[in-house]
Amino acid sequence: MKKSIATFMAMLIMGTLSACGGTASQSVAASAATESKTAPESAPVVQSTPEAGKKVILVVSFGTSYNESRAATIGSVEAAITNEFKDFEVRRAFTSQIIIDKIYSRDNEKIDNVEEAMNRLVQDGVKTLVVQPT
């Protein structure tokens, strides 16, 4: 079932990119590719200064403060996207500031809200962006 959902999400994203004139090959965000199903999941590592013209898929979710649930749900979507689109870096943003604050205070893990993520994308010189809501 999980594999079917991941495959469906990847096909959905490929269709979205095709409709927008994008390509179906993309790059891997290191932490999403190595995410463990049993260990608490962390946000994908954001490259500090990607090369000019970097392509990014920003996965935007409400978020969850439950580490295992986040790994099984949001993490698996990000992993499927990462595996399918090798030319794109995958980044994460949550819409719930309450969830972001709770994770940071409990685990000292920083997850961007949408505004922070967009500012970072501009700062990093990203030229191609796909926003994928979950």
Side-chain angles (χ1 to χ4, degrees), residues 68-80:
E68 288 182 16
S69 176
R70 191 168 57 253
T73 57
I74 298 166
S76 66
V77 169
E78 291 168 342

Side-chain angles (χ1 to χ4, degrees), residues 21-44:
T23 63
S25 64
Q26 308 181 308
S27 81
V28 176
S31 65
T34 60
E35 187 169 305
S36 169
K37 291 184 180 183
T38 57
E41 170 266 358
S42 63

